[in-house]
Amino acid sequence: MSTATDRDDTATRGDSRPILEMHGIVKEFPGVRALDGVDLDVRPGEVHCLLGQNGAGKSTLIKVLSASYQPDEGTIRWDGEEVSLPTPVSAMKLGISTIYQELDLVPGLTVAENVFLGHELSRGGISQTATANSRTRALLERLGHPEISATRLVETLSPASQQIVSMARALSHETKLLVLDEPSAVLDGEEVENLFHVMEGLTAEGVAIVYISHRLEEIRRIGDRITVLKDGATVATGLPVSETPTSELIRLMTGRSIEYVFPDRTGRVDTSTDPVLKVEGLALGGTFSGVDLEVHAGEIVGLAGLVGAGRSEIVETVYGARRATAGTVTVDGKKLRRGSVSAAVAAGMGLCPEERKSQGLLLGEPISNNVTISSMGRFARWGFLRRGDEKSEAERLTEQLDVRPRGVTRPVGKLSGGNQQKVVLARWLLRGCRVLLLDEPTRGVDVGARSEIYALIRSLADEGVAVVVVSSEVEEVLGLADRVLVVREGRVVHESAATELDESRVLDLVMEGKVA
Amino acid sequence: MSSPGVTESQDAEQPARAAGPEQPHESTRRTGGGDLSTRALSLLQTGVGRNAGLVVALLLLCVVGAFTAGDRFASTDNALTILRLAATIGVVSIGMTFVITGGGIDLSVGAILALSSVWCTTLATQVIAEDTHWIVMAGVALLVGIGCGLVNGVLISYGRVVPFIATLAMLASARGLAEIISLRRTQIVTVPGFRDFFTARLLGVEVQVWLFALVAVIGWVVLNRTTFGRRTIAVGGNPEAARLAGINVRRHTVLLYVLVGVCCAIAALMLVARTTTGSSTHGTLYELDAIAAVVIGGTLLSGGRGTIVGTVFGVLIFTTLTNVFTLNNRSISEQSLLKGAIIVVAVLLQQRLANRKSSE
Ligand SMILES: Nc1ncnc2c1ncn2[C@@H]1O[C@H](COP(=O)(O)OP(=O)(O)OP(=O)(O)O)[C@@H](O)[C@H]1O
Ligand SMILES: [Mg+2]
């Protein structure tokens, strides 16, 4: 397709000879055929986007590519030659680096130790800490994050910074193909932009990139070609990004045409009554201070801001999961004890946490138990669980949220990332709270299921629940919330009705004071 | 799907596929509906399937026993002896299953048992018990168990001492206290009725064995069918998620250690009845036997998954092993060696399972 003369043309950039060809890949798990004949070819220097609904098989495909899973059928050709990848190390040796959807760093090790984990620098058995540190610093600089210290413990970093460390780890090898599984889910707008700069730098050097994301606008921005997966099979491959309309992509992914819709605001929020949730002068030493927040019954309040601005900390403190250093939280006129989750729960508050794996799920337990864990009282008589009711309620909700595959007895850890997120959300929708705090509720959820989730949140609000939504997607905050608070560096810097704001105004507010 | 009254075991939801116990929860086959007998049958099948390895091990041991010791092993009397010995350590192991499932460990069970046995057989206690009823002795033992459990639990969940250390300290001090109270003397039980109650026979089996069965059944129901059990699994599996889900993790942790304390007290009463003595040397190394039984039964040492049925099999296997060795006049040292080997094999199998679990 491309010739030497149009090398500079971004639309056709990349060599016509693929560096990677996967053909007819099949991967079965007990009871699920996750991949059912997938084809993928990736050319050097291109950003190849992988699209598909939750559970379509994207993560499984790249795990086959990185040799964490062995395919049951199919061939993989690397640079024109058929290869077998028995172990992750063999994939790494070819130059395939992968950043998984779920971060896989060792929390108790330093940044540099994580970057060189598995290929530690040593001479005569003695590890060369200084060299490792300086090479890590160089990598972080190249990624545009010199502020992350190479000697810091990874557990003290924010999810976004951890993502950068994963990138540094991937780049510490000689990389020809970089695979990124939903990297932007933990990043905010500015950091996504930063990531794109890094990606552009890499493709200019001829590195091929496989990029997975549910955000179509990102794919428009960075992608060259698209492969669409549906139910474990390739439905379209090699679509040029610039020539494929969004509606066509959605139709390919979901098999139906839906608009990315937010539910109508019913506009009946009665602000004359006392607010259900009232937060006054809330502060958490060094993280945020002076936060005032009022949420009325039936109202959805959105918290916009950058990752690291302190939004998650604010909702966690309201919930009592962190102990406030100042301020009060009142629900229905009753003041809550500081730092007590039990008090918040007793007052009817619920928090859907940001980190589904570490804060939300019991991975080995069935879906149903994960959904009902916060509302067990409802299914129990004298402490004995009525498991039939429990199961049918879990079934009802997971169907409503389109959790796939169906069936609530499989362990939640076996679900795809987006489907796990839906399970966490289902837990809180089931609980029937007075106040519901949702931290990044749609992280990693596909386009189709999103509109369903928005509609559910709105219908809860219409039933009189006070809802607080934290989201890094400005569009989501503006589309879903009635009122928006913009948080910057631990302070609420702006508050107004969502209809009075638009995306660029919010971005301005969010970035203000930051060096561009 | 299934009605609330259907008594499927948790095992039934995660039945054995062809691969047997190695993949305990891959499939989602349901056994809802059906008449009682088919349901009971499928319950049996799945229960056996999941614990197939343990059943085979136990059967093998019995075969070895029958071959080497003949009728001395394969007799009703001997079977009852095995059960009697299994009862004491069994009750302790049921309690241990709960703490381990809840993400903790209790090294002090043997010491708590000793302290309970001593305190309920002091002269003062026995005098009161003779005037009133032997139940006073039981009450004293239970109070001691609850007290020790409370101390453990509060230290661990509010004092944030790691379970290993907190219960290690309890191990040392409880046995020390037992020695102080008893002056290192063996205290004989004189209260009438006490011994008779535990060693009386019901349908040919001693009451203490029935007591073990009862504790096991209650333990199974609590772990698999109640909010308490569900919370235990949550707290052990992911304490942070449990906390954010609104579970009072600290209080629950305290309750778990109190529960072990109660189990130790019950075991103490059984041991006192069997030996007619209270002594500060009772229950020595019970912590090791109990943890070993729990682990080979299939409960994850890292918490979040526990099986009472497995624990019962674990206890029976160890007790039968001891019995077979004793009947063949083999030394304690040889027993210990074999026990060690069994533990290692069981743990290796478990790790393979755990790796599989965390591969996504
Ligand atoms: N270890 C596993 N055991 C059993 N089933 C699995 C396992 N891993 C994935 N699956 C199943 O395979 C299917 C594909 O999952 P995969 O994680 O590849 O989806 P995905 O396209 O990455 O979705 P998402 O956008 O939600 O991340 C899902 O139905 C999932 O439940
Ligand atoms: Mg995925």
Side-chain angles (χ1 to χ4, degrees):
Chain A
M1 226 199 339
S2 66
T3 64
T5 47
D6 57 24
R7 275 295 287 164
D8 293 336
D9 182 352
T10 49
T12 54
R13 99 180 147 199
D15 222 301
S16 56
R17 203 179 73 150
I19 181 153
L20 170 78
E21 290 161 278
M22 299 176 86
H23 184 71
I25 303 290
V26 172
K27 175 71 195 171
E28 256 182 87
F29 295 110
V32 187
R33 204 171 168 91
L35 297 178
D36 191 10
V38 172
D39 300 332
L40 176 72
D41 72 279
V42 184
R43 300 172 188 162
E46 77 166 340
V47 175
H48 196 108
C49 298
L50 212 48
L51 276 180
Q53 277 183 292
N54 294 133
K58 305 178 295 292
S59 298
T60 308
L61 181 66
I62 66 146
K63 280 184 188 162
V64 167
L65 176 56
S66 65
S68 329
Y69 290 157
Q70 291 303 314
D72 298 323
E73 283 170 39
T75 54
I76 301 176
R77 299 172 84 83
W78 180 258
D79 232 350
E81 274 170 49
E82 188 164 336
V83 289
S84 71
L85 302 171
T87 60
V89 176
S90 57
M92 235 175 251
K93 284 223 176 92
L94 288 181
I96 302 174
S97 295
T98 310
I99 296 177
Y100 296 104
Q101 184 170 14
E102 314 289 349
L103 295 177
D104 54 352
L105 300 171
V106 184
L109 294 182
T110 67
V111 169
E113 283 162 348
N114 266 289
V115 167
F116 287 100
L117 195 65
H119 57 124
E120 290 83 0
L121 303 174
S122 66
R123 183 173 290 156
I126 312 229
S127 57
Q128 298 175 297
T129 318
T131 329
N133 286 348
S134 68
R135 279 183 51 187
T136 303
R137 269 193 290 277
L139 283 168
L140 290 170
E141 200 141 332
R142 176 164 163 212
L143 292 170
H145 281 267
E147 82 283 358
I148 301 175
S149 157
T151 52
R152 235 172 107 176
L153 287 186
V154 157
E155 62 193 352
T156 64
L157 296 174
S158 71
S161 306
Q162 295 190 7
Q163 178 89 64
I164 302 296
V165 176
S166 292
M167 284 280 278
R169 175 150 100 189
L171 296 181
S172 69
H173 307 276
E174 181 69 36
T175 299
K176 294 200 187 102
L177 174 69
L178 180 64
V179 184
L180 298 164
D181 194 355
E182 291 189 45
S184 57
V186 288
L187 305 179
D188 61 44
E190 192 190 16
E191 296 193 310
V192 171
E193 210 37 57
N194 206 332
L195 173 71
F196 288 171
H197 282 307
V198 174
M199 286 168 63
E200 277 160 0
L202 288 171
T203 49
E205 293 169 20
V207 175
I209 295 180
V210 172
Y211 187 79
I212 301 179
S213 173
H214 288 290
R215 302 183 189 165
L216 296 178
E217 69 278 8
E218 287 175 8
I219 285 162
R220 291 256 168 267
R221 160 81 175 73
I222 191 79
D224 294 314
R225 295 192 307 150
I226 301 176
T227 291
V228 182
L229 297 188
K230 181 167 188 296
D231 300 331
T234 308
V235 289
T237 187
L239 299 174
V241 164
S242 47
E243 287 152 37
T244 318
T246 302
S247 57
E248 170 73 0
L249 288 176
I250 293 181
R251 198 189 53 74
L252 281 169
M253 271 194 288
T254 62
R256 60 205 164 111
S257 32
I258 25 164
E259 283 302 306
Y260 186 20
V261 277
F262 292 100
D264 288 337
R265 293 187 180 80
T266 34
R268 281 187 284 105
V269 180
D270 182 5
T271 47
S272 62
T273 55
D274 286 337
V276 176
L277 173 70
K278 190 166 180 181
V279 176
E280 281 171 307
L282 198 68
L284 182 70
T287 314
F288 64 85
S289 60
V291 172
D292 297 322
L293 175 66
E294 281 190 3
V295 192
H296 294 85
E299 190 179 27
I300 303 178
V301 170
L303 294 187
L306 298 177
V307 170
R311 297 160 311 161
S312 294
E313 286 81 358
I314 291 175
V315 288
E316 282 172 18
T317 312
V318 168
Y319 189 57
R322 293 165 185 259
R323 193 189 201 90
T325 44
T328 58
V329 177
T330 333
V331 175
D332 284 325
K334 223 183 97 225
K335 212 168 115 179
L336 299 186
R337 194 149 50 88
R338 253 186 220 164
S340 163
V341 174
S342 312
V345 170
M349 211 188 281
L351 167 74
C352 176
E354 178 181 25
E355 286 282 314
R356 59 176 168 254
K357 267 207 168 154
S358 60
Q359 300 181 304
L361 294 168
L362 303 166
L363 292 172
E365 288 295 294
I367 296 171
S368 58
N369 294 4
N370 272 285
V371 171
T372 57
I373 184 171
S374 294
S375 350
M376 267 191 287
R378 190 194 303 181
F379 303 103
R381 201 183 296 137
W382 297 311
F384 285 86
L385 290 161
R386 284 177 313 209
R387 303 198 308 155
D389 296 4
E390 203 187 341
K391 196 164 160 270
S392 56
E393 271 300 283
E395 266 162 6
R396 185 180 64 76
L397 261 164
T398 48
E399 256 164 55
Q400 206 169 357
L401 293 179
D402 196 23
V403 175
R404 289 174 196 213
R406 293 273 183 269
V408 293
T409 48
R410 85 182 54 232
V412 88
K414 298 262 153 84
L415 292 179
S416 77
N419 284 306
Q420 291 182 5
Q421 180 68 33
K422 295 182 206 165
V423 171
V424 182
L425 200 61
R427 173 188 301 170
W428 294 106
L429 300 183
L430 176 66
R431 182 167 153 83
C433 302
R434 280 293 281 154
V435 178
L436 191 54
L437 312 170
L438 304 170
D439 197 352
E440 305 284 359
T442 60
R443 167 179 292 177
V445 173
D446 68 51
V447 187
R450 268 176 199 228
S451 54
E452 197 61 47
I453 289 175
Y454 295 143
L456 262 172
I457 295 175
R458 177 51 73 183
S459 71
L460 278 180
D462 289 343
E463 286 163 22
V465 178
V467 184
V468 177
V469 178
V470 171
S471 175
S472 302
E473 288 176 63
V474 176
E475 195 190 347
E476 179 168 290
V477 176
L478 291 180
L480 186 61
D482 298 302
R483 204 148 45 79
V484 175
L485 270 62
V486 180
V487 182
R488 191 177 68 226
E489 286 161 14
R491 295 198 161 270
V492 177
V493 293
H494 180 87
E495 177 174 352
S496 68
T499 43
E500 289 166 20
L501 286 169
D502 60 23
E503 215 161 311
S504 61
R505 173 92 180 98
V506 174
L507 285 176
D508 281 348
L509 285 165
V510 155
M511 305 281 199
E512 221 165 82
K514 280 215 163 197
V515 268
Chain B
M1 259 224 231
S2 65
S3 66
V6 176
T7 50
E8 291 160 324
S9 70
Q10 196 164 42
D11 313 356
E13 283 183 346
Q14 309 163 345
R17 300 166 59 78
E22 303 222 339
Q23 300 181 334
H25 41 247
E26 306 283 27
S27 154
T28 53
R29 180 162 63 95
R30 296 286 303 175
T31 49
D35 65 320
L36 206 70
S37 62
T38 51
R39 220 183 288 152
L41 191 68
S42 72
L43 187 73
L44 198 72
Q45 281 170 345
T46 51
V48 170
R50 178 130 176 236
N51 296 299
L54 296 170
V55 175
V56 169
L58 189 57
L59 286 179
L60 266 179
L61 260 178
C62 290
V63 170
V64 171
F67 264 106
T68 54
D71 285 348
R72 281 183 302 142
F73 178 82
S75 69
T76 325
D77 266 355
N78 191 49
L80 287 178
T81 307
I82 292 178
L83 286 179
R84 197 182 314 127
L85 293 176
T88 321
I89 189 70
V91 170
V92 174
S93 303
I94 299 292
M96 188 69 90
T97 308
F98 274 88
V99 234
I100 292 184
T101 306
I105 190 117
D106 192 341
L107 300 180
S108 62
V109 285
I112 297 179
L113 191 153
L115 184 60
S116 290
S117 82
V118 164
W119 213 317
C120 79
T121 53
T122 55
L123 204 56
T125 321
Q126 294 213 42
V127 167
I128 302 175
E130 267 170 27
D131 290 348
T132 50
H133 193 270
W134 62 262
I135 208 87
V136 172
M137 288 170 66
V140 169
L142 283 173
L143 281 179
V144 172
I146 292 172
C148 292
L150 260 180
V151 173
N152 274 339
V154 168
L155 271 179
I156 289 163
S157 63
Y158 294 94
R160 301 189 184 204
V161 183
V162 270
F164 193 91
I165 301 299
T167 58
L168 191 65
M170 178 60 78
L171 178 154
S173 14
R175 211 175 276 284
L177 185 57
E179 286 174 0
I180 292 172
I181 293 176
S182 66
L183 304 169
R184 295 186 179 222
R185 277 199 290 260
T186 304
Q187 304 178 150
I188 311 285
V189 178
T190 55
V191 179
F194 178 80
R195 183 191 147 87
D196 300 345
F197 173 80
F198 286 94
T199 52
R201 289 187 177 229
L202 205 71
L203 302 174
V205 179
E206 282 180 24
V207 167
Q208 51 177 327
V209 175
W210 287 115
L211 211 55
F212 169 39
L214 187 70
V215 170
V217 168
I218 293 177
W220 186 89
V221 171
V222 169
L223 188 61
N224 296 301
R225 288 288 181 276
T226 65
T227 51
F228 184 87
R230 191 66 68 71
R231 289 198 187 116
T232 305
I233 293 167
V235 167
N238 189 343
E240 178 66 3
R243 188 172 78 102
L244 292 177
I247 293 173
N248 192 333
V249 174
R250 290 187 178 180
R251 192 178 63 198
H252 194 85
T253 306
V254 174
L255 289 179
L256 285 175
Y257 285 92
V258 169
L259 190 147
V260 197
V262 169
C263 286
C264 292
I266 296 174
L269 291 170
M270 287 158 55
L271 196 59
V272 168
R274 204 170 75 218
T275 60
T276 64
T277 58
S279 158
S280 59
T281 60
H282 275 341
T284 309
L285 291 186
Y286 265 34
E287 55 278 359
L288 292 188
D289 287 347
I291 293 171
V294 169
V295 168
I296 76 162
T299 296
L300 280 188
L301 207 45
S302 52
R305 165 148 296 129
T307 148
I308 298 285
V309 179
T311 298
V312 171
F313 272 113
V315 170
L316 289 179
I317 287 173
F318 274 148
T319 326
T320 311
L321 187 75
T322 311
N323 182 261
V324 171
F325 269 73
T326 318
L327 289 179
N328 285 304
N329 298 320
R330 311 310 292 240
S331 69
I332 302 277
S333 324
E334 284 172 317
Q335 279 180 41
S336 308
L337 190 66
L338 195 58
K339 275 192 192 174
I342 291 179
I343 295 173
V344 169
V345 170
V347 169
L348 285 177
L349 279 176
Q350 235 195 42
Q351 279 172 351
R352 276 185 44 198
L353 284 183
N355 285 343
R356 217 170 271 217
K357 199 179 89 174
S358 61
S359 61
E360 154 67 330

